[in-house]
Amino acid sequence: MQHNIFATMRSLKIMDGCRSPQIYPFNPSQDQIRTKSIRKSQIPEANAIDFVADSLLPHGLPKADQVEPQIEPSLKPVDFVDTLADIYRRIENCPDLEKSNLYLEQSSLFCGFSDPKLIRQSLRSARQHAIDVHSKVVLASWLRYERREDELIGSSSMHCCGQLIECPVANLVAGYDPELVYEPCMCYRTPQEDDDDDITMMDDEECSTSEEDDEDGDMSFIIGDSEIRCRRFNISSLSSPFKTMLYGGFMESRREKINFSQNEISVEAMMAAEIYSRTKRLSQFPPHIVLELLSFANKFCCEEMKAACDVHLASLVCDMEEAILLIEYGLEETAHVLVAACLQVLLRELPNSMHSPSVMRLFCTPQGRDRLAITGHASFLLHYFLSQVAMEEEMKSNTTVMLLERLGECAAEGWQKQLAFHQLGVVMLEREGYKDAQCWFEAAAGAGHIYSLVGAARGKYKRGHKYTAFKMMNSLISDCKPVGWMYQERSLYCIGREKLIDLISATELDPTLSFPYKYRAVSLLEENKIEAAVSEINKIISFKVSPDCLELRAWFLIALSDYEGALRDVQALVTLVPNYMMFFGRMPADDLIPLLHPVVQQWNQAECWMQLYDRWSSVDDIGSLAVVHHMLENDPGKSLLRFRQSLLLLRLNCQKAAMRSLRLARNYSNSEYERLVYEGWILYDTGLREEALAKAEESISIQRSFEAFFLKAYILADSSSLDPETANYVIHLLEEALSCPSDGLRKGQALNNLGSIYVDCDKLDNAADCYMNALNIKHTRAHQGLARVYHLKNQRKDAYDEMTKLIEKALNNASAYEKRAEYCDRDMAEGDLCLATGLDPLRTYPYRYRAAALMDDHKEAEAIAELTRAIRFKPDVQLLHLRAAFYESMNDFISTIRDCEAALCLDPSYVELIDFRDRAKGQINEKKLGD
C-alpha cells in the first residue's frame, strides 16, 4: 500500500438534525466598536452597508509600507540539504552517549519546517538516548507539552502515558538503555498488586523493627532532656565523621552518653536516624522528619542516608504546591533527585507554572540559574524548553527576555549560541528595541548563523539606516548561494521596479514566502484594483493557509462589500488563532464577527448543515471551517463539531490548531467511549500508535461506534504496506463502521477509504461499488478513486473523464490536476502538472515527473535543476531520493551520498536509502583503489 492510502481518511463528520432556529444570536459587548453592531432589522436596508463599512474599517485600509516580512525565530541555514546531511552523519558516527544533544540540535533545525511531527521525532530520539536524570526529566516534559496535556480536563500533570520514554517515575532513574524506552512502564499495575506489595513491605518493616527494638543499644545521644539509645556500630556506619567520632581518638569514643543538643536536630529526627541505621528504611517516617534527616545527613556526610532521603522525598512530589515547597529544600541541601522531581512537576505544569513568582525567580534570574547549577539542573536544554514555551505564550514579555538571556548564558556550542542570540534579536525587534535587536542579531551572525544578518539589516533599517541595510543584503546575495528570503529582505530597502523584481525573484526561489504576495496584493489595493488584490492573495491561501493572509483577504473583501466572504475568512482566522488581533494589532478579530451580522444572511441550524454539505462537496475547506465556526457559536460545547473542526484543520495543514480543537472535543465529551476516541487521535497524532490503538479498542468495548471503528481501521492501515490478513481486517473494521449510525458525509469518507483498500487487494469491482456509493452521497473526492479503478482496468479515457468531473466540482483542484496527469499523454500531462504547480507549488509529484521526463530526454542538468528548484524551499524525502538517483547515474557519488543522508535525516527508517547510500560509498572506495 502507498504511504498516502489513508491520507484523506480523517474527514468531516456531520450530525443530522438541528436544535436552534438561529445561528447568530445578538450578544452586544461593552467594547466601543462592538456596540456599533445592531440588528439588520433596526436600520434601513439602504444604509446597512455604509453603516457596517464604517464600523469595520475604523483604521482604514492597509498600506504597502505597513507590510513587513516576519523574521523567523528559528535556525535557518542557507543550504538545508547540506545541513541535514551533516547532522545525520554526525549522529550516525558519534558515540551513543553523545547522541541526545545532537538530536536536540536536529529538533532546533526542524523548527524551521512546517511539520511538528519532525520536531517530536527528534525530541523522542533525544529522550531515547538521554543518560542523566535531568535530561530525561526535561525531554519527557517537553514531549508531554507538545501534546498540551495540561489542557485536558481531569488530567494530572503526573499522568503517565504508559511508555517508559515519558514515565515520570522512570525519568528519575539514571542510566542508559535506548532499546527499552518504548516499552510499557510499570505505572499501570492493578491496585491489588500495589496493595499486596505495600502490605508485604509494612510487614517486613514491622518485623525488622520489632526484632531490633528488643535489643538495647550500647550508647546514647542526649538531646535536651531526652535520651536516644543507639548501637555504636550502626551509627558509625552512617559516615566517616561518625566512625571517627565513635571509634577514633575523640573523647566521644569513650563515652556511653554523648550530648547532641547543639547539633540542631530534634529528638524525633535523631530517633529516626537511629532506626534508619538499623533498618535502612524511611517509609515509616513523615516528610518533615525525612527533611530533617536530609539536613542531618548533609551535615555529617551520611551519603547513603542522604541518597535515601533524596529518593524518598522525590517520590512524594505530586503537585505544583509540593514542588514549589520542596524544591527549596532540595536546592538548599543539594538533593539532586528531589530537585529533579520538583523540576519535573513544574515543567509538566507548563505554562501554568510560569505564573508563579517563585518559579519564575528560579528559572529567570541569574541567581536562580546558579542555584540550579549546584544541583546539576541548569542546562541549555532546560532553558531552551522554557524559552520556547514563553515565546509561544507572549513573545514580548519580560519573562521571555530573561529566559532567553539565561539560554545565552548556558549556550556552549556554536548552534546553541546562534539560536539563543537570534531569538533574543527577534524578541527585541518585537519589543521595538532596535539597537539591542541589531546587536543580538550580529552576535548570532558572528557565531555562524547567516540568516541573522536579515535581522541585523532590519535593525539598521528601523534605526533609519536604510542604505546600510540595503548594502548588507546586497553583499549577502553576492557572497552566498541566493535564497528566497535574501531577495525578500532586500526588497524592503528598494523602491519601484527594483523592489518588484526582488519580490518576483523571492517568489521564484521560494513560493511559500507570504510577504511577496501580501505586498503585491496591498499595492494593487492602493491602485484601487481590489479584485486583482484578492486574486493575488488567493494564490498563497490556496496552498498555505495562515492568519495574516486570511486577515488581508478579509480586509479586501470588506472593501469590495463582500461581507459573506469577509465573515468566512474572519471565522476561519479565529479558528486558527482564537486571540488574533487584526488591523496591525488594534482590534480583536473576534470583535469583527458581530459587526458583520447585520448585512450577512442569517442561517438556522438546518441551513448550516446544508451549507456544510455544499462546501464539503465542493472541497472548500476554508468555507467548511467557517460554517463549523457558525455552528459552534450557537453550541460551543458540541464535541462532535470540535472534532470535525480538527479534521478540517488537519486538511489545511494547521496541525497545532487541529490539536487544540481535538483537545476541546475531548474535554466536551459527554460519554466515556467518545472521550476515548478523541484521546486516541491525540495519542496517534503525537506518535503513540500502540496507545492510540488501545484507546480505540477500549472505546469499542464500551460501545460500538462509527468513530471508534474508524480510528482503529485508520491506525492499522496507515503503514507503507499491508499484508493480506491485516487488509482484510481493516475491511472488516470499515464495514463495521458503516453499519453504525452516522451521517452521509462521514459514511462517504468511510466508503472512499474502503474502496482504497479494495483496490490494494485487487478487488476492483468492489472498489468501484464503494466509490459510486460515496459519490451518491456527494463525497466528491471519490471521483479520484473511481478514476484509479478505471485506470487499472485499462480504461484510460474513463479515468481521465472522471478526474475532469472532480476538477469541475472542486474549488481547490491542484491535486485533481496532478492525478489527471496520470491518465493522459505526455503533452497533456505536462500541461496539467504545470497547472498543479501553479496552484500548489508544495506538491512534489509534478517536479518529479518533469525531472524524470528530462532524464528520459538525456537532459541531466535540466532534470537536476528541476528537482533542485523544489528542494530549495521544500526538502522532501522523495525529491531527495530521486535527485540522488540522478546523481548516481551521472557518477556524482558525493552528491548522491549527501542527498541520501539528508533524506535519512528526515526519515531514518527509509532502509532503501541506507542501501543506496552504502552502494555509492562503495563506488567511491572502488574508484580510490583503482586510482
Side-chain angles (χ1 to χ4, degrees):
M1 180 179 290
Q2 298 299 316
H3 280 282
N4 62 351
I5 285 299
F6 271 28
T8 60
M9 194 168 184
R10 295 165 61 184
S11 63
L12 190 63
K13 177 182 175 184
I14 302 173
M15 288 287 288
D16 295 319
C18 59
R19 291 190 288 186
S20 174
Q22 184 170 318
I23 189 65
Y24 300 119
F26 179 64
N27 183 23
S29 167
Q30 297 301 314
D31 186 273
Q32 182 179 2
I33 299 173
R34 194 182 283 237
T35 55
K36 296 181 182 178
S37 175
I38 59 176
R39 289 183 182 273
K40 186 177 180 180
S41 59
Q42 294 177 304
I43 56 176
E45 181 72 24
N47 297 331
I49 292 178
D50 290 340
F51 177 84
V52 175
D54 290 342
S55 300
L56 291 174
L57 298 172
H59 306 290
L61 290 166
K63 292 180 171 44
D65 59 5
Q66 293 176 297
V67 183
E68 286 185 359
Q70 182 185 14
I71 297 176
E72 296 180 28
S74 56
L75 295 179
K76 198 176 184 73
V78 173
D79 192 324
F80 255 116
V81 175
D82 283 343
T83 306
L84 290 171
D86 173 67
I87 198 166
Y88 177 80
R89 281 192 298 271
R90 287 191 286 133
I91 290 172
E92 187 180 40
N93 296 324
C94 80
D96 287 344
L97 301 182
E98 298 176 13
K99 287 185 184 294
S100 185
N101 189 50
L102 285 173
Y103 279 117
L104 181 66
E105 180 181 353
Q106 185 188 61
S107 75
S108 70
L109 185 65
F110 286 157
C111 288
F113 289 63
S114 59
D115 187 357
K117 289 184 178 180
L118 287 173
I119 301 172
R120 287 196 293 269
Q121 171 186 298
S122 293
L123 290 175
R124 286 171 72 83
S125 296
R127 168 62 185 89
Q128 179 184 4
H129 292 278
I131 304 167
D132 59 285
V133 167
H134 174 76
S135 297
K136 291 179 179 181
V137 163
V138 178
L139 289 165
S141 301
W142 200 336
L143 286 167
R144 183 182 185 276
Y145 178 78
E146 285 293 310
R147 284 200 301 279
R148 302 298 196 276
E149 286 197 11
D150 63 289
E151 296 181 14
L152 298 181
I153 294 174
S155 176
S156 165
S157 62
M158 298 305 285
H159 168 76
C160 177
C161 70
Q163 282 189 342
L164 283 172
I165 195 168
E166 289 186 42
C167 175
V169 177
N171 291 334
L172 298 178
V173 179
Y176 179 72
D177 197 342
E179 303 304 320
L180 294 180
V181 292
Y182 296 111
E183 295 295 319
C185 68
M186 298 300 292
C187 294
Y188 285 90
R189 294 191 303 174
T190 64
Q192 182 64 43
E193 291 173 335
D194 291 336
D195 291 343
D196 292 344
D197 288 349
D198 290 341
I199 292 170
T200 302
M201 183 180 295
M202 289 174 63
D203 290 344
D204 290 345
E205 287 173 0
E206 289 174 0
C207 292
S208 174
T209 303
S210 61
E211 289 173 3
E212 297 290 349
D213 284 343
D214 292 337
E215 300 180 16
D216 292 331
D218 54 4
M219 61 160 291
S220 300
F221 285 105
I222 307 299
I223 300 176
D225 297 330
S226 300
E227 178 178 342
I228 300 97
R229 292 296 291 173
C230 303
R231 294 180 63 188
R232 187 179 296 269
F233 174 79
N234 290 336
I235 295 296
S236 68
S237 68
L238 292 177
S239 70
S240 295
F242 272 121
K243 185 175 182 179
T244 302
M245 179 179 72
L246 297 175
Y247 284 108
F250 294 94
M251 56 185 175
E252 285 86 355
S253 64
R254 296 185 295 275
R255 290 181 177 176
E256 181 181 348
K257 296 183 179 182
I258 300 173
N259 191 336
F260 233 55
S261 300
Q262 305 301 315
N263 284 290
E264 299 179 353
I265 184 169
S266 67
V267 173
E268 294 82 359
M270 195 65 226
M271 292 174 66
E274 188 277 326
I275 294 172
Y276 174 81
S277 72
R278 293 184 283 106
T279 66
K280 304 301 181 184
R281 288 178 181 158
L282 298 166
S283 55
Q284 64 267 47
F285 306 128
H288 73 278
I289 294 297
V290 181
L291 282 170
E292 200 171 348
L293 284 179
L294 176 63
S295 179
F296 176 80
N298 248 341
K299 181 179 290 186
F300 289 95
C301 304
C302 306
E303 297 301 329
E304 182 184 0
M305 186 163 71
K306 177 182 178 180
C309 292
D310 195 2
V311 171
H312 179 75
L313 289 168
S315 70
L316 303 178
V317 185
C318 296
D319 57 40
M320 194 162 75
E321 184 178 352
E322 291 174 348
I324 293 173
L325 174 66
L326 290 175
I327 198 169
E328 289 299 323
Y329 286 99
L331 291 168
E332 185 69 25
E333 303 296 342
T334 62
H336 175 76
V337 182
L338 176 58
V339 173
C342 296
L343 188 63
Q344 177 168 244
V345 172
L346 298 178
L347 295 179
R348 291 168 77 95
E349 288 279 359
L350 288 170
N352 294 334
S353 58
M354 280 191 165
H355 303 304
S356 166
S358 59
V359 173
M360 285 300 96
R361 278 196 298 273
L362 182 63
F363 289 151
C364 294
T365 64
Q367 296 79 11
R369 185 181 68 84
D370 291 342
R371 295 184 70 198
L372 287 169
I374 293 172
T375 58
H377 289 289
S379 67
F380 179 87
L381 170 62
L382 171 64
H383 285 91
Y384 184 18
F385 176 30
L386 291 169
S387 61
Q388 298 316 293
V389 175
M391 289 175 73
E392 287 188 21
E393 286 291 294
E394 176 52 61
M395 177 76 79
K396 301 179 184 179
S397 71
N398 291 334
T399 295
T400 303
V401 174
M402 289 189 288
L403 286 171
L404 286 171
E405 288 174 344
R406 304 292 81 73
L407 182 70
E409 291 168 0
C410 293
E413 300 179 28
W415 73 271
Q416 296 174 348
K417 293 177 181 179
Q418 293 174 21
L419 181 67
F421 299 158
H422 180 76
Q423 291 188 337
L424 269 166
V426 171
V427 170
M428 290 301 180
L429 196 65
E430 288 286 322
R431 289 163 62 101
E432 299 182 1
Y434 301 126
K435 185 175 181 180
D436 288 339
Q438 181 185 329
C439 291
W440 285 118
F441 282 127
E442 288 172 349
H449 191 227
I450 294 176
Y451 177 63
S452 293
L453 291 173
V454 168
R458 192 78 62 88
K460 291 178 182 293
Y461 170 63
K462 291 291 186 180
R463 298 173 64 206
H465 307 300
K466 184 175 180 179
Y467 182 63
T468 306
F470 171 81
K471 287 199 301 181
M472 180 180 288
M473 295 314 301
N474 200 47
S475 175
L476 182 60
I477 291 172
S478 301
D479 296 341
C480 299
K481 184 190 301 182
V483 186
W485 50 261
M486 296 179 185
Y487 287 100
Q488 173 180 267
E489 188 65 24
R490 192 175 70 174
S491 72
L492 282 180
Y493 317 128
C494 304
I495 58 173
R497 184 170 176 272
E498 290 181 351
K499 188 182 196 79
L500 295 177
I501 290 173
D502 271 357
L503 290 173
I504 291 170
S505 298
T507 300
E508 287 176 349
L509 288 169
D510 187 352
T512 67
L513 295 172
S514 61
F515 171 72
Y517 301 94
K518 291 166 64 177
Y519 182 86
R520 288 189 291 261
V522 175
S523 297
L524 289 166
L525 175 71
E526 290 181 333
E527 296 172 11
N528 205 30
K529 299 176 181 177
I530 307 178
E531 291 181 352
V534 172
S535 297
E536 180 64 27
I537 204 66
N538 279 344
K539 291 177 183 177
I540 189 165
I541 290 177
S542 66
F543 68 89
K544 184 181 177 182
V545 177
S546 62
D548 55 336
C549 291
L550 285 173
E551 175 193 1
L552 209 53
R553 188 169 72 176
W555 223 333
F556 299 157
L557 293 174
I558 290 169
L560 277 175
S561 300
D562 180 0
Y563 298 119
E564 288 188 3
L567 179 62
R568 172 204 64 207
D569 285 350
V570 174
Q571 287 175 321
L573 187 160
V574 170
T575 303
L576 291 175
V577 185
N579 57 350
Y580 189 85
M581 300 293 290
M582 292 186 66
F583 306 118
F584 300 106
R586 294 174 181 150
M587 177 190 288
D590 203 35
D591 283 358
L592 275 180
I593 295 174
L595 296 178
L596 286 161
H597 288 176
V599 287
V600 174
Q601 180 181 356
Q602 306 289 297
W603 297 326
N604 61 33
Q605 198 78 341
E607 289 171 332
C608 281
W609 291 118
M610 293 299 296
Q611 292 290 333
L612 193 51
Y613 268 77
D614 289 342
R615 282 160 174 74
W616 181 254
S617 181
S618 62
V619 198
D620 178 7
D621 294 327
I622 294 177
S624 300
L625 201 61
V627 174
V628 172
H629 187 277
H630 280 322
M631 302 168 82
L632 284 169
E633 283 181 322
N634 192 54
D635 193 0
K638 192 72 172 178
S639 61
L640 287 173
L641 287 176
R642 295 285 182 186
F643 179 52
R644 294 174 189 118
Q645 187 182 67
S646 76
L647 301 175
L648 280 167
L649 288 164
L650 280 177
R651 288 185 52 78
L652 292 168
N653 199 32
C654 302
Q655 296 187 39
K656 286 191 175 182
M659 288 293 287
R660 182 176 61 248
S661 295
L662 192 53
R663 290 190 294 274
L664 287 170
R666 181 268 188 196
N667 288 342
Y668 285 124
S669 299
N670 293 320
S671 61
E672 178 70 8
Y673 78 89
E674 188 180 33
R675 180 180 63 80
L676 288 167
V677 170
Y678 302 148
E679 288 181 358
W681 281 121
I682 291 171
L683 290 167
Y684 179 76
D685 285 342
T686 50
L688 300 176
R689 184 178 183 273
E690 296 302 322
E691 289 75 7
L693 192 59
K695 294 285 185 182
E697 291 170 347
E698 186 180 353
S699 178
I700 292 170
S701 70
I702 297 173
Q703 179 165 324
R704 297 162 59 85
S705 68
F706 179 94
E707 291 300 344
F709 281 117
F710 196 81
L711 171 60
K712 187 173 181 180
Y714 184 89
I715 294 171
L716 291 174
D718 188 22
S719 61
S720 58
S721 62
L722 279 179
D723 59 82
E725 183 178 353
T726 306
N728 287 331
Y729 185 50
V730 172
I731 289 171
H732 165 73
L733 289 171
L734 289 173
E735 289 174 343
E736 289 288 337
L738 288 165
S739 69
C740 296
S742 186
D743 60 89
L745 285 183
R746 198 61 169 145
K747 285 183 180 290
Q749 187 62 57
L751 285 165
N752 189 63
N753 290 289
L754 182 56
S756 297
I757 300 295
Y758 276 133
V759 167
D760 289 326
C761 295
D762 203 27
K763 298 178 180 179
L764 300 183
D765 290 337
N766 290 11
D769 290 341
C770 287
Y771 292 130
M772 292 298 295
N773 289 333
L775 288 170
N776 288 337
I777 50 179
K778 301 181 78 171
H779 188 77
T780 307
R781 293 178 179 86
H783 283 297
Q784 183 172 312
L786 191 55
R788 185 180 173 205
V789 171
Y790 288 141
H791 174 64
L792 293 172
K793 289 183 174 182
N794 293 320
Q795 297 172 312
R796 287 174 61 83
K797 185 180 184 306
D798 290 335
Y800 183 89
D801 292 342
E802 201 64 35
M803 290 308 302
T804 301
K805 293 177 185 177
L806 178 57
I807 289 170
E808 292 169 352
K809 292 180 182 179
L811 182 67
N812 186 359
N813 46 29
S815 64
Y817 280 116
E818 180 185 293
K819 295 298 180 183
R820 191 174 73 169
E822 298 178 19
Y823 311 132
C824 54
D825 60 41
R826 179 169 169 174
D827 290 339
M828 294 178 68
E830 288 179 353
D832 275 354
L833 292 175
C834 284
L835 286 170
T837 298
L839 292 169
D840 184 355
L842 291 173
R843 306 193 72 85
T844 62
Y845 175 74
Y847 302 100
R848 289 185 283 124
Y849 179 92
R850 288 189 290 264
L854 288 165
M855 284 297 286
D856 287 343
D857 294 339
H858 304 289
K859 298 178 179 178
E860 291 86 355
E862 290 89 336
I864 294 288
E866 178 66 24
L867 293 174
T868 302
R869 182 161 69 99
I871 290 170
R872 279 198 190 107
F873 61 86
K874 184 182 171 72
D876 173 82
V877 172
Q878 292 180 322
L879 290 172
L880 289 164
H881 188 181
L882 186 58
R883 192 172 73 170
F886 289 174
Y887 278 129
E888 183 190 42
S889 69
M890 299 165 64
N891 294 326
D892 185 351
F893 299 115
I894 293 177
S895 297
T896 300
I897 293 169
R898 179 203 60 201
D899 281 359
C900 286
E901 290 175 334
L904 285 166
C905 187
L906 298 169
D907 184 3
S909 64
Y910 205 154
V911 179
E912 184 180 347
L913 275 173
I914 296 175
D915 296 337
F916 194 3
R917 187 272 311 264
D918 292 343
R919 189 168 65 245
K921 283 185 174 180
Q923 292 289 338
I924 292 176
N925 291 334
E926 287 181 13
K927 186 176 180 181
K928 287 180 179 178
L929 291 173
D931 294 340

